[in-house]
Amino acid sequence: MLKAASWKSKPRAAPSGRSRVLDYLGELWQEKRWILFKPQYTLPVAACLWVAEICVNLWVIRRVPYTEIDWRAYMDEVEGVINGTYDYTQLKGDTGPLVYPAGFVYIFMVLYYITDHGVNIHLGQYMFAIFYLITLLLVFRIYNHTKKVPPFVFFFMCCASYRIHSIFILRLFNDSIAMMILYMAVNLFLNNRWSLGCCFFSLAVSVKMNVLLFAPGLLFLLVSEFGLVRTIPKLGICAALQVVLGLPFLMVNPVGYLGRAFDLGRQFLFKWTVNWRFLPEEVFLNRYFHLALLVAHLTILILFALYRWNKSEEGIFSLLKNPEERKTQHQSVTADQIVFVLFTSNFIGISFSRSLHYQFYVWYFHTLPYLLWSTRVKKLAHLLKVLILGLIELSWNTYPSTVYSSISLHVCHMIILLSLWYGHTEPEKSASTDDPDVLKKRK
């Protein structure tokens, strides 16, 4: 009896790693009908799609002709630096002067040497295919954190997008590298690695300035998490990295570097616009029109910061205090808050952009599923959300853009913006597969 009692009192051994895997696979088999519809099954669906994307990228590189647009210009600009020119006003390529910050120069300098001075374009395509696959991994990890998007949507985000594959592996645009680094920063924020995340965020800005559209959201998150005083060192990291990267050019011609690399007033050509084709060209080029868009952009950002981003019971100015000095108990920002604030900040900027060119699609393409499925607006059912994704894809694939494609794009943007304003909701707490109560219910 003593032996029996002793045997019964022994603690139950924790399930081994192999056992947990088998349990998870068994659960997948039991719920196979729902794998494509339940966000908690993001990982297995994402893994299958990622493997499929390897095949898709290889097929595209081998079968679809490469089109030269900016690669040769990138290589000419980098070659100027390699030859000893550090005055930004003297650096140019086939398509015009160098207008990207210093991080772009260093990254494409590496690609310059890897691709035999830019001549081996085929190898360059394989490099960008790797960038594409890394980007997908980072994006899938973000979606796995938020658990809001049903996995079937990832089919539209992956294999169905011609334009995104083109931007990465047929055009080799620097926009794709900037966004890859940006998604790395978002992943670090989700891991509570804010300082390192700020470093990667600044690195992404140094590749292309469009990443600054995420900056208002990031500033709000930093202040919410740390208060104003403790946010300053994080902003210092961002600024210091820009100075370090740009130092060789700042020492030669600081005004020329800042004016070229961070030119916020650069004029865009009407013939390339995707979003304002329905306007007369004189309106498109009018500075008052640009000012109106800027005012609208800032107004919507402020409204979202006041009424949608701020989840505390106190006013927004209370966020300037250190967390321990606030009246209500501080709670760290959740994964959903981080992604919602950053993605909406960027989306608002894109919605009121002075012009969108075809390669700019990658600026927000991978965020669209989250933006659409993060809302609880019942009228936006799955079918309608997929339709919106399809219309946006069609608008970006219409070349040259037309009055109707531009209007369609704006209508879709407006629907998303309104749904984000009226319908954003916190993620439902999906039960863990290891939760014994859940397993008991399912059994």
Side-chain angles (χ1 to χ4, degrees), residues 28 32 42 80 99 146 161 188 193 270-271 293 297 299 415:
L28 283 179
K32 52 186 179 291
T42 292
V99 292
T146 56
S161 178
L188 288 167
R193 304 287 298 277
F270 183 66
K271 70 176 183 177
L293 288 175
H297 179 192
T299 301
I415 291 172

Side-chain angles (χ1 to χ4, degrees), residues 228-245:
L228 180 61
V229 174
R230 295 176 187 171
T231 292
I232 294 174
K234 305 291 188 293
L235 299 179
I237 292 172
C238 297
L241 184 64
Q242 294 298 324
V243 173
V244 170
L245 292 174

